[in-house]
Amino acid sequence: MDNLRILESSFEKIRTYIRNNNNSDSIVKFKKPSELNTLIGVQVEEQNVTENEFLDLIDKYLDYSVKTGNKQFLNQLYSGFNFPAFIGEVFSALANTSMYTYEVAPVATVIETEMVRLMNSYAGYKNGDGIFVSGGSNANLIAMFSARNRIIPECRVDGYDTKHKLKAFVNEQAHYSFETAANILGIGAKNVVKVKSDAKGKMIPDELQKEINECIDRGKKPFFVVATCATTLLGAYDPIPQLADICEKHKLWLHADGSFGGSLILSETHRHLMKDIERTDSFAWNPHKLMNIPLICSALLVKKRGTLQHNITDINTDYIYHDIDQIEDLGKKSIQCGRKVDAVKLWFAWKYFGLKGYKQRIDNLINMATYAESIVANHPQLELMSERQSFSVCFRYLPKKGGDLNKFNLELRENLRKSGKSIVNYSYLNKQLTIRLITANGELAKSDIDLFFENLLSEAQNLEAK
Ligand SMILES: *Cc1c(COP(=O)(O)O)cnc(C)c1O
């Protein structure tokens, strides 16, 4: 095989793919797994493929993958194609350095250090620290781990004993990763208390106070509270000021899970939803969602410098960390050893758009969600399921002849998805199926939202005619 020839063909394929990244290509060519196995020839054989077969594999990979950069991909909490971040990803892979030491990754180390500083300046952590991790779930795990070790320092060497009876508190609509974290940390998933939220999906501070009091009365030890900064269904922001008051009173670790909506902090117009973020102890921020950086790009910020290193590697001063170059080796703050230079693609993107450009991208997301909400509100056959909080619009279609709305809307969503024209997700709100449209792609325009509703309404009419 001639690698340079493959490279040139690959470049052409990338060019075509990027050009089609609007509304023109279908989002998915849906195939069943068994069909896909055969179609792409998934099995690796004794004999290697030829150059043309290899190029063909690239085509098939792209062809049957979901086009998450397409403007009609409104399904997930991430979407979009971010050109400079893509470039950053390509060159990160080309250089293939590993984040543990300055020795191996000098440029990436100064870049990650600067990205953490910049993100901390938005979070208002004056003496903060942070580390890029392998996703928001892992950021949440490290936050809970840091909180556990603060309240029971001996856990670091002795391990966690259930006699400690720790209890964590999250919004009942919080992400499932907190139960996973409690499971992994030995605390146990059942010790994550789900606190009631109001009609808009925000945690009710009085309910939190009540749950904490009850736990204390039963001899349990509250230690960790999560303010979800945009819940996955309704896009609700928990009220940080009130939660911070409660946490300060009881000396609890307050973590902001901004895995979805943390990037809102960039917007001067809307960041009031995260007011008092500087009073939290840690903050999970996922640029791979609303900043459209290719997966994975995720950071955990902590208010107090030294927390991460103390909890993670101070136990075994590892042979690879020499700190000889007047800069901290970032590996000491990570539970990973080899680690991708995920901050680099963020840096390329931030440089390309500028601080101002990114503010505008986030404002645009809110504007697009507001626009989508207004379309729903003004259409006689669309019903808003909950008042829009941020980037999520929850609604359903009301067929003229009535009937089972859950069944109709489920079928509508499935038909739309399989049409390849647009894709949105769904969930249940008080047992009622709600379609969830997410504006995560910073380049969305009103025409994209219009096209989405055209596609949806045309599928709905087909379904009504059946
Ligand atoms: C997406 C999300 C997570 C998990 O983040 P990953 O990067 O997917 O692991 C956690 N919490 C919330 C609120 C999220 O939306």
Side-chain angles (χ1 to χ4, degrees), residues 104-377:
V104 178
V107 193
T109 299
V110 296
I111 289 174
E112 180 165 331
T113 304
E114 172 58 16
M115 289 298 94
V116 167
R117 187 205 63 75
L118 175 60
M119 294 167 94
N120 270 326
S121 74
Y122 279 103
Y125 290 168
K126 294 213 170 62
N127 186 30
D129 205 349
I131 192 79
F132 278 69
V133 294
S134 56
S137 305
N138 291 8
N140 291 340
L141 167 70
I142 303 301
M144 190 186 280
F145 162 76
S146 306
R148 186 199 72 173
N149 287 7
R150 182 174 78 175
I151 191 162
I152 309 175
E154 63 264 32
C155 278
R156 286 203 315 153
V157 276
D158 297 341
Y160 180 77
D161 190 314
T162 45
K163 74 169 192 253
H164 296 306
K165 299 190 169 101
L166 291 185
K167 286 275 185 185
F169 302 82
V170 304
N171 184 322
E172 59 184 339
Q173 295 183 32
H175 193 258
Y176 68 88
S177 51
F178 293 104
E179 281 161 286
T180 310
N183 171 8
I184 293 171
L185 294 171
I187 292 165
K190 74 162 198 242
N191 292 311
V192 176
V193 178
K194 296 181 176 173
V195 181
K196 279 205 194 79
S197 52
D198 63 17
K200 291 179 173 179
K202 302 179 191 196
M203 187 195 282
I204 304 170
D206 285 348
E207 290 290 331
L208 172 66
Q209 184 63 70
K210 215 169 78 191
E211 294 283 5
I212 289 173
N213 292 347
E214 263 174 40
C215 278
I216 294 172
D217 289 348
R218 279 185 280 125
K220 314 278 187 198
K221 202 172 188 130
F223 80 112
F224 185 69
V225 173
V226 178
T228 299
C229 292
T231 56
T232 54
L233 178 60
L234 296 177
Y237 284 75
D238 284 338
I240 296 175
Q242 287 91 321
L243 302 195
D245 287 345
I246 296 173
C247 288
E248 279 161 21
K249 190 163 80 189
H250 294 276
K251 299 200 169 56
L252 312 181
W253 185 290
L254 179 57
H255 171 64
D257 179 13
S259 298
F260 172 27
S263 303
L264 184 88
I265 206 166
L266 299 177
S267 159
E268 272 148 34
T269 323
H270 303 288
R271 64 170 291 156
H272 62 88
L273 289 171
M274 294 174 70
K275 184 177 175 310
D276 284 5
I277 177 75
E278 67 283 356
R279 293 174 67 191
T280 59
D281 296 284
S282 54
F283 172 27
W285 180 351
N286 256 352
H288 70 218
K289 283 185 175 164
L290 301 177
M291 291 176 84
N292 309 140
I293 308 298
L295 291 150
I296 293 288
C297 189
S298 177
L300 175 69
L301 305 176
V302 292
K303 177 148 71 187
K304 193 168 157 225
R305 244 196 125 64
T307 307
L308 293 167
Q309 182 176 335
H310 171 74
N311 282 322
I312 294 169
T313 52
D314 273 1
I315 302 171
N316 47 341
T317 340
D318 209 298
Y319 65 96
I320 63 172
Y321 303 117
H322 309 306
D323 275 346
I324 44 180
D325 297 302
Q326 288 119 34
I327 191 163
E328 228 180 355
D329 284 333
L330 301 184
K332 296 191 291 191
K333 297 189 273 189
S334 174
I335 62 167
Q336 289 171 257
C337 180
R339 186 162 62 94
K340 274 196 73 180
V341 296
D342 290 328
V344 171
K345 52 195 170 182
L346 174 64
W347 178 73
F348 273 107
W350 229 327
K351 282 274 190 189
Y352 182 97
F353 294 114
L355 297 177
K356 192 165 146 219
Y358 252 119
K359 284 176 199 166
Q360 288 165 349
R361 284 174 76 90
I362 302 299
D363 284 338
N364 181 54
L365 297 180
I366 294 281
N367 294 343
M368 290 305 110
T370 312
Y371 180 63
E373 181 188 32
S374 74
I375 293 180
V376 171

